[in-house]
Amino acid sequence: MHAHPRDLKSNTAARLMSVAAIRARLSMLAVAYAARIGAVNMNDVLATASAVVAVFGEDHDLSREMRSFVDSLPELRRHVPDLAAAGDRLIRAVERTTWPDDAGRADIHG
């Protein structure tokens, strides 16, 4: 069985998109954990925000969360507990968009 070149191209694009999505999520987690310990680097934050928007688009939950974090960062940096809480929100956003909904799981809900 031979694959059509068009199918190979679309499969490659899908794989690259999923790799880009994984990288963007991991970068977002890195920023989140840095925020939790009060050690954010603005260059990392801006690079991650750009990557997340580029991969997921402007209206995606991760993009909105990341932009909100960037917008509030000047104030958050003044109070480490608030910065840590913002890092937790970024972690929860990645979890929400990565893990399946529990309601559909037969091993939990029968």
Side-chain angles (χ1 to χ4, degrees):
M1 175 181 210
H2 295 290
H4 191 277
R6 183 182 58 225
D7 294 336
L8 291 175
K9 185 176 180 181
S10 65
N11 285 339
T12 300
R15 270 197 309 272
L16 289 176
M17 181 55 147
S18 83
V19 168
I22 290 167
R23 284 184 180 147
R25 283 183 171 101
L26 288 175
S27 292
M28 196 165 170
L29 287 173
V31 167
Y33 283 108
R36 289 190 69 204
I37 63 170
V40 292
N41 176 304
M42 197 61 181
N43 291 330
D44 293 342
V45 171
L46 294 176
T48 297
S50 294
V52 168
V53 170
V55 171
F56 297 107
E58 292 284 334
D59 294 329
H60 194 274
D61 185 40
L62 291 179
S63 299
R64 286 191 303 270
E65 288 286 344
M66 199 65 215
R67 279 194 316 270
S68 175
F69 180 81
V70 170
D71 292 344
S72 60
L73 193 54
E75 292 297 319
L76 292 172
R77 292 180 89 160
R78 296 180 187 159
H79 194 248
V80 174
D82 291 342
L83 183 59
D88 286 337
R89 284 191 299 276
L90 291 179
I91 293 167
R92 298 293 89 75
V94 172
E95 288 174 347
R96 279 192 315 271
T97 63
T98 305
W99 295 343
D101 185 16
D102 286 345
R105 293 188 52 187
D107 61 329
I108 295 173
H109 301 288

